[in-house]
Amino acid sequence: MPWRPARRAKNGRRARDRPLRASGGALARLGRRDGRRPGHERRPRGWTQAVRGGRAGRPRRPAVGAPDGGQGAPGGASAAAGDDRWLGRRRGGVLACQRAARGRGSVVKAWIVTTSAAIGSLIDLAREVDPEPVALVLGAASVADAVARSGVGRVVWAETSGPVEAYRGAVASLVAEAGADLVLVPASDAERALAGGLAVALDAPLLTLPIGLKNGLMTHGVHGGIAERTVAVERAVLVADGGGLVDSGTSVVVERVVLASASGLEIVDSQPAPAASVDLGTSRRIVAVGRGVRAAEDLAVIGDLAARLGADVACSRPISGLGWLPHDRVIGLTGRRVAPELYVALGVSGQLQHVVGVRSSGVVVAVNTDAASPLFGEVDYGVVGDLYEIVPALIRALS
Ligand SMILES: Cc1cc2nc3c(=O)[nH]c(=O)nc-3n(C[C@H](O)[C@H](O)[C@H](O)COP(=O)(O)OP(=O)(O)OC[C@H]3O[C@@H](n4cnc5c(N)ncnc54)[C@H](O)[C@@H]3O)c2cc1C
């Protein structure tokens, strides 16, 4: 797999490069002193390989040309609902982003598809390939008005109702007919779903965690951001943090289009989600529990330890899946990314999806019965032992 280690560093050093401070007794039983397990040697620095997008070994869908009758055209026409075909021009395997750089007389077109006006970062990203990106605003007119002041080249607005992903077919037709090479979508829950639908409809790769567009190549994070990959693609749907509101001081005209929803879904009720029980993103100390805990009742003693440490209780995803703790306590890829000064993991194996959420922590401590647990490759202090013995001992020591 083409990849290189991410530049993410902790205390100025790569976490896995730091020597373990554990020594003596149980702390010494961690295998290699450098914290890496056999077979997990460091990859060469700076090694990057560009790979082609698209699906090798599988014929691409044929181009079907432009839609008739101006369907989906911006400026008042409506886009064909539910048409999931890519309607754009074929480009013969040449990276679209490279065309401008190579002076082929063709320009790269970037479209931002958003329900929010907070798209400052997306505009910056789009401008790396297109000085005047187009923003397609789905939803409220007030959002379209705000986006019109953000410095984009053009604003197209469609009023929508219901799940935004239900408009994927109509949006795909619109951006394809406009010849968009790059479609940028903010990383909100609803828009992520739309982005997936767009990528399928456009037969384009879906890329996340963009780091940069340079010389026609796109570098983006993979595996939750712990590695970077550089890809060459004909076109792409890109999901990224939207960024903040921007007011450029000038405004462009908002062009209204009508898009049809292809979904059979109808919203019959909506309620605000229950307030989060804790904001782990601001926690200074965290005690996290994993499947090493055998029963929900055992969380009481974990809570006791956390209280003595002045820490918030967090968990791995399976613990939330069991209903033992709410989802806002989950750390990781689908949970929170945290940066406490102290992170104590009890019975957490340290799978990648969890570890990406704790990489910015200060001191990391793990208790696990398995000396080969991957989390021991990330820790400052590791205890090979049974949490049912270690936690009471810690509570006694702190009393
Ligand atoms: C798309 C996707 C997204 C995901 N997102 C997340 C995410 O955001 N966050 C997340 O956490 N997971 C996530 N997961 C799940 C993740 O892959 C792991 O399955 C999960 O993190 C494992 O949780 P765990 O460490 O609690 O359990 P396990 O992997 O089962 O580990 C339990 C550990 O406890 C140890 N243990 C057992 N008994 C004891 C004891 N008495 N004392 C001490 N140690 C003991 C074991 O040795 C083991 O290492 C995701 C998975 C997918 C596919």
Side-chain angles (χ1 to χ4, degrees):
M1 180 179 63
W3 70 285
R4 64 186 165 97
R7 290 187 291 261
R8 191 186 305 273
K10 191 170 90 170
N11 301 334
R13 289 169 291 171
R14 211 179 290 274
R16 295 202 307 180
D17 292 348
R18 289 174 300 128
L20 288 171
R21 277 183 248 153
S23 63
L27 298 182
R29 285 183 274 139
L30 294 176
R32 294 166 56 129
R33 294 289 298 167
D34 62 0
R36 283 191 291 277
R37 290 180 296 137
H40 288 233
E41 319 302 336
R42 191 186 306 159
R43 307 282 170 145
R45 280 174 186 270
W47 180 59
T48 307
Q49 181 180 332
V51 295
R52 284 253 169 238
R55 302 171 192 180
R58 191 178 146 184
R60 286 188 165 277
R61 291 184 211 175
V64 293
D68 60 6
Q71 290 286 298
S78 67
D83 186 348
D84 281 356
R85 295 169 300 170
W86 169 253
L87 303 176
R89 291 162 282 150
R90 314 310 295 177
R91 294 201 168 94
V94 177
L95 174 68
C97 302
Q98 283 179 319
R99 293 197 316 276
R102 289 176 179 173
R104 294 183 177 205
S106 176
V107 292
V108 173
K109 290 185 181 174
W111 275 56
I112 298 167
V113 180
T114 181
T115 62
S116 161
I119 54 169
S121 300
L122 283 184
I123 294 171
D124 289 344
L125 198 58
R127 283 210 185 109
E128 291 188 33
V129 292
D130 181 352
E132 296 204 320
V134 179
L136 169 60
V137 178
L138 304 173
S142 57
V143 174
D145 290 339
V147 172
R149 293 191 297 275
S150 65
V152 294
R154 209 178 128 206
V155 173
V156 181
W157 165 57
E159 207 168 12
T160 57
S161 65
V164 72
E165 63 268 28
Y167 292 85
R168 67 193 180 282
V171 171
S173 297
L174 189 61
V175 299
E177 188 189 355
D181 303 289
L182 187 63
V183 179
L184 302 103
V185 182
S188 75
D189 287 347
E191 283 148 327
R192 274 199 191 102
L194 172 66
L198 282 178
V200 172
L202 297 172
D203 194 17
L206 178 68
L207 303 176
T208 58
L209 301 173
I211 293 162
L213 292 167
K214 198 172 179 187
N215 299 327
L217 298 173
M218 185 180 299
T219 302
H220 73 115
V222 291
H223 307 311
I226 64 166
E228 297 171 7
R229 185 169 60 185
T230 301
V231 293
V233 289
E234 291 176 53
R235 60 181 178 274
V237 176
L238 193 57
V239 178
D241 281 339
L245 290 168
V246 185
D247 192 338
S248 65
T250 59
S251 185
V252 294
V253 173
V254 175
E255 305 166 34
R256 186 172 187 186
V257 294
V258 177
L259 299 181
S261 165
S263 168
L265 283 177
E266 183 193 350
I267 296 177
V268 292
D269 187 26
S270 64
Q271 299 285 338
S277 58
V278 66
D279 180 4
L280 291 177
T282 61
S283 299
R284 290 181 59 228
R285 295 174 186 180
I286 289 176
V287 173
V289 290
R291 287 304 308 274
V293 172
R294 295 185 201 116
E297 306 81 75
D298 300 343
L299 293 178
V301 72
I302 306 292
D304 188 2
L305 173 64
R308 287 167 197 275
L309 288 171
D312 292 316
V313 176
C315 63
S316 63
R317 196 170 79 165
I319 296 294
S320 160
L322 288 165
W324 294 358
L325 285 171
H327 183 72
D328 58 38
R329 302 271 175 168
V330 175
I331 291 174
L333 195 60
T334 50
R336 293 300 306 268
R337 293 179 188 228
V338 298
E341 60 191 32
L342 173 67
Y343 169 78
V344 181
L346 305 170
V348 176
S349 59
Q351 300 305 316
L352 183 66
Q353 293 88 356
H354 184 85
V355 167
V356 293
V358 301
R359 282 271 161 100
S360 299
S361 301
V363 175
V364 175
V365 181
V367 177
N368 200 302
T369 46
D370 180 7
S373 162
L375 195 53
F376 282 138
E378 306 282 337
V379 300
D380 296 283
Y381 299 93
V383 181
V384 179
D386 186 340
L387 71 89
Y388 285 87
E389 295 170 12
I390 305 290
V391 171
L394 284 172
I395 290 173
R396 279 196 301 278
L398 290 166
S399 297

